[in-house]
Amino acid sequence: MTRSTVTPGTVIDGFTVGDCVHSGGMATLWSVTHEGISVPLLMKIPRVSEGEDPAAIVSFEMEQMILPRLSGPHVPACFGTGDFARQAYVVIERIPGETLYKRLPDLPIAYEEARALVASMAAALADLHQQNVIHHDIKPSSIMFRRSGEAVLIDYGLSHHTQLPDLLQEEFRLPYGTAPYMAPERLLGRRDDPRSDLFSLGVLLYFFTTGVRPFGESETLRGMRRRLWRDPRPPRKLRADYPPWLQEVVLRCLEIEPVWRYPSASQLAFELNNPDQVKLTARSERLQRDPLSTVWRRRFNPELTLPRVKADMAAQLASSPIVAVALDTVEGSQELNSALRMTAERILATLPAARLACVNILKLGRITIDRTLDEQGHNKHIHRMVALKHWASPLKLDENRLTVHVLEAVDPAAAILEFAEANHVDHIIIGARGDSMLRSLLGSVSAKVAAEASCTVTVVRPPRRAALAVQDEKADRMFASGQPGS
């Protein structure tokens, strides 16, 4: 391994080095160009001179292994890597703009702005976790935003890939990371739980909305270990106007035990995108920290000082999807809605951490003025929300697993697709309507959703026996009224 002698003008594997953009404690960043690549590029080169922290070298190896395997808008594109035999480097796209670190002088920021920012970060984490990677260094300086609005996660030197060797775990016993954002289980040597990233995101949300870090600035191992048994002050203790729903989200992210946090980043993003649907518990009302009796119980709980069973990240994420069922509470047949409920029940029975979103479309006219009240004088929106809750009541779901949504739209299929995309829905359940000449010419809502959705779609038909019974009943009515049959 040779000492880096990179200077402006140096050519490395076809990359021409330009100016030094940043000189950090573990690596330097250089602007580079390449004849066959048109996007702006950065070359990251590790510090390998005498006296440098060996962890810097190991973390760079991790980044070299992980970055080329990642894709999508939430990660920087990787264009090349070099080994330590000649010159170690990673070339990535240069994301325009600054990291969130530049926002620290503005703290605390408005609640709505913080909600939108962290919702985007949670969506980015959800995508990263689906690619088998836990970031383990979520903090303001590792987050950027594209001009199109997507959050981009950078710096993967401390990350864990479930399908690659974890060199940091194998070679070092001390936890590496940024102390104020580190999850409690990381202090016990656990690096295989994606909910560790949700804890870090909770720290960031707390910090950005209160201006104070929930666990202070301590960087000593002794100081950090206090979070294994000591909870932070509730945000409402710091700011009297703190929204209860936001405190519910923040404190759930900051639970000491991972099992009490959100089961996935997708579900956290869902809550932040739908704050009116957040189910409030005692967390939302708290003004004081846990009593000392609870703290001492945690302090001397032997289970908290022992590593847990190795987590299966893929199984955990697969068991906590977001399932959306699209219902017609006005014109939908009872048989079809019953069949939809049976299908949802079968799916949820195997997914104990799944969230169910019941969706109804309040169809708007393209040129008409739509009335908010129906013929009986009921508010259409509220009436349909009640109907959705009534439909879901036989499922007996915990209130934290159920939300209802009435969407106003001209195009029902487009509204369902947009809802699924915005909320990272994993599975859509939708009913198939009966045949008609109009639908055969224009296509059905379910057909469009099934054809264009980026997630799994289950199209449900009522049992044939029930459908025949409906047809017989319709024929009987037509016969009794003297109308000719079809």
Side-chain angles (χ1 to χ4, degrees):
M1 181 171 60
T2 60
R3 180 175 178 175
S4 174
T5 56
V6 173
T7 57
T10 303
V11 178
I12 305 173
D13 295 339
F15 295 99
T16 302
V17 178
D19 297 330
C20 181
V21 175
H22 175 73
S23 182
M26 301 177 78
T28 55
L29 290 175
W30 300 78
S31 64
V32 295
T33 57
H34 192 286
E35 185 177 346
I37 303 173
S38 59
V39 302
L41 302 173
L42 285 177
M43 178 178 283
K44 187 174 186 177
I45 297 178
R47 293 184 177 277
V48 295
S49 57
E50 185 66 32
E52 297 292 350
D53 186 352
I57 298 173
V58 176
S59 69
F60 196 84
E61 288 184 278
M62 292 298 301
E63 193 156 29
Q64 282 185 312
M65 289 193 296
I66 291 173
L67 265 175
R69 290 171 165 80
L70 300 179
S71 61
H74 302 298
V75 297
C78 182
F79 290 91
T81 62
D83 60 37
F84 282 91
R86 295 190 303 117
Q87 175 62 66
Y89 69 84
V90 171
V91 174
I92 59 174
E93 67 169 312
R94 185 171 185 174
I95 311 293
E98 306 284 351
T99 69
L100 266 185
Y101 187 81
K102 294 294 184 180
R103 297 298 309 275
L104 298 193
D106 304 331
L107 302 186
I109 63 175
Y111 298 130
E112 174 57 25
E113 183 182 6
R115 180 204 64 78
L117 284 174
V118 179
S120 296
M121 298 176 215
L125 273 177
D127 183 68
L128 185 68
H129 293 168
Q130 289 291 340
Q131 298 186 64
N132 305 304
V133 175
I134 305 168
H135 192 279
H136 281 322
D137 201 20
I138 295 298
K139 57 185 179 181
S141 59
S142 64
I143 299 165
M144 303 183 72
F145 286 85
R146 297 190 185 276
R147 287 171 179 163
S148 52
E150 294 101 339
V152 182
L153 306 176
I154 60 176
D155 294 337
Y156 291 87
L158 303 182
S159 297
H160 170 83
H161 195 299
T162 61
Q163 298 174 356
L164 295 174
D166 192 336
L167 303 182
L168 283 171
Q169 182 85 338
E170 294 171 359
E171 298 185 29
F172 301 97
R173 292 296 171 261
L174 291 176
Y176 279 89
T178 305
Y181 299 89
M182 194 178 297
E185 62 274 11
R186 292 282 314 284
L187 303 173
L188 303 176
R190 292 190 60 189
R191 285 176 45 84
D192 59 354
D193 197 323
R195 292 169 294 193
S196 296
D197 283 342
L198 306 190
F199 183 93
S200 302
L201 208 52
V203 173
L204 191 147
L205 183 55
Y206 185 112
F207 185 30
F208 270 53
T209 52
T210 66
V212 178
R213 289 189 176 93
F215 302 99
E217 306 288 342
S218 176
E219 295 190 3
T220 66
L221 189 58
R222 181 178 179 181
M224 289 190 293
R225 285 183 67 85
R226 286 177 57 83
R227 70 193 63 176
L228 285 167
W229 53 80
R230 197 62 168 121
D231 58 317
R233 287 179 292 173
R236 293 183 65 192
K237 179 70 173 177
L238 303 176
R239 299 187 67 180
D241 67 338
Y242 207 87
W245 73 264
L246 187 55
Q247 176 162 300
E248 178 74 31
V249 171
V250 168
L251 293 186
R252 186 173 179 186
C253 288
L254 295 180
E255 288 283 358
I256 294 173
E257 287 282 359
V259 70
W260 293 110
R261 299 175 204 154
Y262 289 95
S264 69
S266 293
Q267 292 203 19
L268 172 57
F270 187 96
E271 295 271 77
L272 291 168
N273 284 324
N274 300 275
D276 59 317
Q277 297 280 348
V278 174
K279 300 299 186 296
L280 302 184
T281 69
R283 293 189 193 98
S284 67
E285 302 172 358
R286 292 181 57 188
L287 293 174
Q288 302 296 331
R289 302 165 83 177
D290 287 334
L292 287 178
S293 58
T294 301
V295 174
W296 283 104
R297 241 187 346 262
R298 292 195 194 111
R299 174 68 178 85
F300 295 103
N301 182 353
E303 291 185 1
L304 286 178
T305 60
L306 297 173
R308 306 299 177 85
V309 177
K310 182 176 175 62
D312 186 335
M313 179 173 166
Q316 181 183 317
L317 295 179
S319 68
S320 54
I322 297 173
V323 179
V325 56
L327 289 160
D328 187 341
T329 60
V330 178
E331 298 181 2
S333 71
Q334 181 179 346
E335 291 77 15
L336 178 56
N337 286 343
S338 295
L340 285 166
R341 185 166 49 240
M342 290 177 59
T343 302
E345 187 173 25
R346 285 197 297 268
I347 292 172
L348 295 173
T350 62
L351 302 168
R355 174 191 288 276
L356 181 67
C358 302
V359 180
N360 175 259
I361 308 301
L362 182 55
K363 196 172 186 306
L364 303 179
R366 294 184 181 275
I367 58 174
T368 59
I369 299 176
D370 296 284
R371 299 176 57 189
T372 58
L373 303 181
D374 60 20
E375 289 76 7
Q376 288 75 39
H378 301 134
N379 182 287
K380 294 179 181 179
H381 198 103
I382 295 176
H383 187 262
R384 294 189 182 203
M385 288 181 65
V386 172
L388 289 174
K389 291 182 179 180
H390 178 73
W391 175 89
S393 60
L395 297 173
K396 294 182 172 57
L397 293 176
D398 183 278
E399 62 178 9
N400 289 320
R401 298 179 61 197
L402 175 68
T403 54
V404 296
H405 310 263
V406 177
L407 312 177
E408 299 183 1
V410 172
D411 184 343
I416 293 169
L417 290 168
E418 183 179 348
F419 177 88
E421 189 69 25
N423 291 286
H424 313 285
V425 169
D426 300 286
H427 193 154
I428 299 173
I429 306 171
I430 189 170
R433 292 294 191 83
D435 296 329
S436 72
M437 179 63 71
L438 187 60
R439 287 192 182 87
S440 65
L441 293 174
L442 302 180
S444 68
V445 172
S446 57
K448 181 175 181 180
V449 170
E452 300 183 18
S454 58
C455 63
T456 301
V457 178
T458 297
V459 180
V460 177
R461 290 185 180 276
R464 180 172 176 79
R465 186 176 301 171
L468 289 173
V470 171
Q471 291 178 9
D472 291 343
E473 182 182 351
K474 181 180 177 182
D476 290 342
R477 288 199 304 267
M478 294 174 66
F479 180 81
S481 63
Q483 299 178 16
S486 57

